[in-house]
Amino acid sequence: MYCGRELEKGEKCDCAQSKIRRGEYEEQKKEEPKQNTNTKEKTNTQQNTNYSDPYRTKTSYKTGYAGGDNRFDGARERYKAKRAAKGSGGIKNVWQYIVRSIKSPVEAVTNPTHLSKVSMLAIAAAMGALLWLCVFFILRGGAVGPFRLIASAMGFGGGYQLLFSILAAFVSGAVGGIVMFFLYTGIFYLINRFIMRLKTPYWDFCERLVSAWVPFTLICLIGTVLSLLSPYTLIALVLCGAAITAVLTYEALKTEWYAFPPSKVLYSLLLGYFVFLSVMSHLLMI
């Protein structure tokens, strides 16, 4: 599910993420020094045994430039690799990530692309800001509408109080989105670590769950832009977004925990949602 390669019957995937998941990566790192030492000893023994120049007319010493490797080519390849790795979390990659999560949401959560930590937090902040705006419009009795915004910007209809309220909801929602991100991913990561007994790194585990939030963010954006919606229609739209997030979260966890029965994944999802909604309800009541 990580590299997309088809496996033969009984074959195990040998990519790094699969090894980390099975807990074999750390064991392999411990065994590598021993293997390297044994290989070097065998190589030195073979060189001493196969040496066929009794008068020592040849020398095996080579400088960095006399050998077959070119240090400038190596430096250039390392520079290209670092540059590619640095650009992997750029704006273009984030945009492709968002488009893929919208067009093919199930495929995005089952086989997510790599995303930087800043990009994941930015998506969470955008989701929270748009969700808070939808809640603000619902509590206000409906969306504002373009004419009301223009009148407020000109100082009419109560002055700038409406704009300040919208800005405050947007900023507080962005902070709330980041809080929700760590709470949401943290709960399921603890289930992954202590109930499923898997050693997946935290930020790698978050990539699937963030993909599940992208369609919900788009729905909240639509609800914010369409200012002619009634509050009841806006509530239905937000609930639909919450439903698709729950379904995609289940698909993400089912792929992450593919070795466990689907029923256990379902009950773990319910446990995570119970804890998440309990904590969020207490935070909102403060």
Side-chain angles (χ1 to χ4, degrees):
M1 63 183 177
Y2 295 108
C3 57
R5 184 172 65 87
E6 294 186 5
L7 301 177
E8 299 294 336
K9 186 176 181 180
E11 181 186 2
K12 289 185 178 181
C13 184
D14 57 354
C15 67
Q17 289 178 315
S18 295
K19 290 182 178 179
I20 292 174
R21 182 188 186 117
R22 295 194 300 265
E24 298 176 358
Y25 186 71
E26 296 296 332
E27 297 178 0
Q28 183 181 1
K29 288 176 66 177
K30 294 179 181 178
E31 293 177 358
E32 281 181 356
K34 299 180 181 178
Q35 295 177 355
N36 293 336
T37 304
N38 296 333
T39 304
K40 289 180 180 179
E41 292 178 356
K42 291 180 180 178
T43 303
N44 295 331
T45 305
Q46 291 177 356
Q47 289 178 351
N48 295 332
T49 305
N50 298 331
Y51 188 77
S52 59
D53 188 14
Y55 298 101
R56 299 187 180 276
T57 56
K58 298 179 182 180
T59 176
S60 60
Y61 175 79
K62 292 181 181 180
T63 63
Y65 293 99
D69 297 333
N70 189 329
R71 65 172 60 182
F72 293 106
D73 291 339
R76 183 175 58 187
E77 293 300 326
R78 288 193 296 271
Y79 172 75
K80 289 182 179 180
K82 290 180 180 180
R83 186 175 181 181
K86 186 177 181 180
S88 62
I91 298 177
K92 183 178 179 181
N93 186 59
V94 175
W95 176 250
Q96 293 175 350
Y97 179 90
I98 294 174
V99 171
R100 181 170 179 262
S101 299
I102 294 173
K103 287 184 176 180
S104 305
V106 178
E107 289 78 3
V109 297
T110 55
N111 188 20
T113 56
H114 176 69
L115 203 64
S116 65
K117 302 174 184 178
V118 176
S119 300
M120 285 190 279
L121 293 178
I123 292 175
M127 186 278 300
L130 295 173
L131 176 60
W132 254 246
L133 286 179
C134 289
V135 174
F136 171 76
F137 293 145
I138 291 172
L139 295 178
R140 195 178 176 278
V144 177
F147 296 105
R148 184 67 183 274
L149 286 176
I150 295 174
S152 180
M154 296 174 63
F156 301 111
Y160 304 103
Q161 183 178 1
L162 178 61
L163 292 178
F164 288 149
S165 299
I166 294 176
L167 181 61
F170 185 85
V171 175
S172 60
V175 177
I178 295 176
V179 174
M180 290 174 61
F181 169 82
F182 286 109
L183 179 62
Y184 193 80
T185 57
I187 290 172
F188 286 111
Y189 178 75
L190 291 177
I191 295 175
N192 176 78
R193 183 67 183 88
F194 295 104
I195 296 180
M196 302 302 179
R197 301 288 182 178
L198 297 177
K199 299 181 180 179
T200 309
Y202 172 71
W203 290 104
D204 292 341
F205 181 80
C206 292
E207 290 175 353
R208 298 182 187 277
L209 299 181
V210 172
S211 299
W213 282 15
V214 175
F216 184 42
T217 305
L218 177 64
I219 290 175
C220 291
L221 176 62
I222 294 174
T224 304
V225 173
L226 297 180
S227 56
L228 298 179
L229 293 176
S230 66
Y232 300 105
T233 307
L234 197 55
I235 291 173
L237 194 63
V238 173
L239 291 177
C240 289
I244 194 175
T245 302
V247 172
L248 292 177
T249 302
Y250 172 75
E251 290 293 334
L253 295 177
K254 186 175 69 172
T255 307
E256 186 71 31
W257 301 333
Y258 70 96
F260 299 93
S263 299
K264 186 174 182 179
V265 176
L266 177 62
Y267 286 120
S268 299
L269 173 69
L270 293 177
L271 174 62
Y273 261 87
F274 171 74
V275 177
F276 174 74
L277 295 176
S278 299
V279 175
M280 285 300 300
S281 61
H282 281 83
L283 290 177
L284 294 175
M285 292 300 177
I286 295 178

